[in-house]
Amino acid sequence: MIDTTGFQWLSASCTHVGRVRQINEDACLDQAERGLWAVADGMGGHTLGDLASRLVIESLNQLPPAPSLAKLMTDARDRLQTVNRQLLTEAESRGAHIIGSTVVVLLAHGRRCGYLWAGDSRIYLYRGGTLRRLTRDHSQIEELMSRHQLSDEDAMTHVARNLITRAVGVAECLELDEETMDVLDGDMFMLCSDGLSNEVPEQDIRKALVSRDCRDAAEAMTDMALQGGGRDNISVVVVRAEDMFSTERTVLNPAL
């Protein structure tokens, strides 16, 4: 997609059932032409997680064009609130305790983008050779670490490592965190489910993104997650922004 500001968006995605699970409860959305990307992870161990993630993605895929990033973000929040109510109703009608899903969404409009999330699916930014996680997991582990009650090493084996505190379909009112930012030429974003982030260290994520090729990076990270054990479903979306009007781009500068 090239918009009127001269930004071109490129992307690629992969989703894999992994080596242990029988059903892929992940779903992803990869719509570079619309500036719309998302990953949803149906809650493992609960009923119909695949249904939950699919409904989240299908609803986001129906977002109409918007005149501004603010309106696009509002529409995305509204759709996720609607899916939240649908999943609560579905769970009640089926006699299920929970039918839920995490979600992380990236929205692009002009030279800005926004992202919103609930749960432990993540989004990273690769800029100027540096990788930075943009989201904070909504999980018991993250809360313990933020209070300095748990080390990074202990978090890897803690009994609560898979317990999330927010998701679509678990509470009457869905709590979403969100941020917006300016986009720079060469920025790369990576959205993923915890089936990837639990298996692939951040230094290896960075190495995969150095190639600048969205498809190669997405496939490389999926392969690394499988080699790491593939204990959960794996989903990844890689997005790259290019400023077609930039006078600084050069093949000799890998940071662009």
Side-chain angles (χ1 to χ4, degrees):
M1 175 189 76
I2 302 179
D3 63 25
T4 55
T5 66
F7 255 89
Q8 175 177 239
W9 293 92
L10 305 170
S11 63
S13 59
C14 290
T15 186
H16 195 288
V17 69
R19 298 191 184 278
V20 177
R21 302 291 179 93
Q22 299 299 310
I23 297 174
N24 191 350
E25 294 183 319
D26 284 2
C28 53
L29 184 59
D30 177 12
Q31 297 280 343
E33 67 277 9
R34 298 168 59 196
L36 173 60
W37 305 271
V39 167
D41 179 358
M43 294 175 65
H46 295 295
T47 304
L48 297 173
D50 56 330
L51 171 64
S53 61
R54 187 173 71 250
L55 287 178
V56 167
I57 294 301
E58 288 176 352
S59 180
L60 291 169
N61 194 36
Q62 295 169 9
L63 280 171
S68 67
L69 179 60
K71 181 63 166 65
L72 196 56
M73 297 279 284
T74 297
D75 290 346
R77 287 197 305 270
D78 290 346
R79 287 197 173 269
L80 291 173
Q81 293 291 353
T82 297
V83 175
N84 187 69
R85 292 189 292 270
Q86 290 174 339
L87 290 176
L88 290 171
T89 300
E90 189 72 22
E92 183 178 5
S93 68
R94 292 174 181 261
H97 176 55
I98 290 175
I99 302 177
S101 175
T102 70
V103 65
V104 60
V105 188
L106 176 65
L107 304 158
H109 193 284
R111 292 176 173 266
R112 289 183 60 76
C113 71
Y115 51 97
L116 48 86
W117 75 100
D120 59 0
S121 292
R122 296 177 177 180
I123 182 168
Y124 291 84
L125 169 66
Y126 178 73
R127 172 183 286 177
T130 299
L131 182 73
R132 178 166 63 98
R133 176 153 58 110
L134 298 179
T135 54
R136 175 182 176 273
D137 293 349
H138 298 133
S139 68
Q140 290 191 8
I141 288 293
E142 191 80 17
E143 291 180 1
L144 290 171
M145 292 176 67
S146 69
R147 295 197 295 264
H148 306 290
Q149 296 177 349
L150 193 67
S151 68
D152 291 346
E153 295 76 16
D154 291 340
M156 296 301 295
T157 57
H158 197 280
V159 293
R161 66 178 300 210
N162 294 320
L163 296 180
I164 60 175
T165 56
R166 295 189 204 177
V168 186
V170 302
E172 289 295 329
C173 183
L174 170 63
E175 290 186 71
L176 293 161
D177 280 348
E178 66 177 68
E179 298 287 347
T180 60
M181 59 181 288
D182 293 329
V183 180
L184 302 182
D185 182 34
D187 278 353
M188 295 188 74
F189 299 88
M190 192 277 279
L191 295 76
C192 68
S193 61
D194 68 338
L196 188 139
S197 57
N198 284 342
E199 302 286 7
V200 184
E202 291 189 1
Q203 62 265 30
D204 291 336
I205 293 174
R206 179 191 174 281
K207 290 177 183 177
L209 294 172
V210 167
S211 73
R212 317 299 299 168
D213 184 284
C214 295
R215 173 58 58 189
D216 287 351
E219 292 178 351
M221 284 184 280
T222 301
D223 288 344
M224 284 189 280
L226 290 169
Q227 292 167 12
R231 288 162 286 192
D232 199 352
N233 306 143
I234 303 158
S235 290
V236 56
V237 181
V238 180
V239 184
R240 188 173 85 240
E242 293 183 353
D243 184 352
M244 306 310 292
F245 296 157
S246 174
T247 59
E248 299 180 359
R249 179 181 291 118
T250 169
V251 294
L252 297 179
N253 187 349
L256 296 178

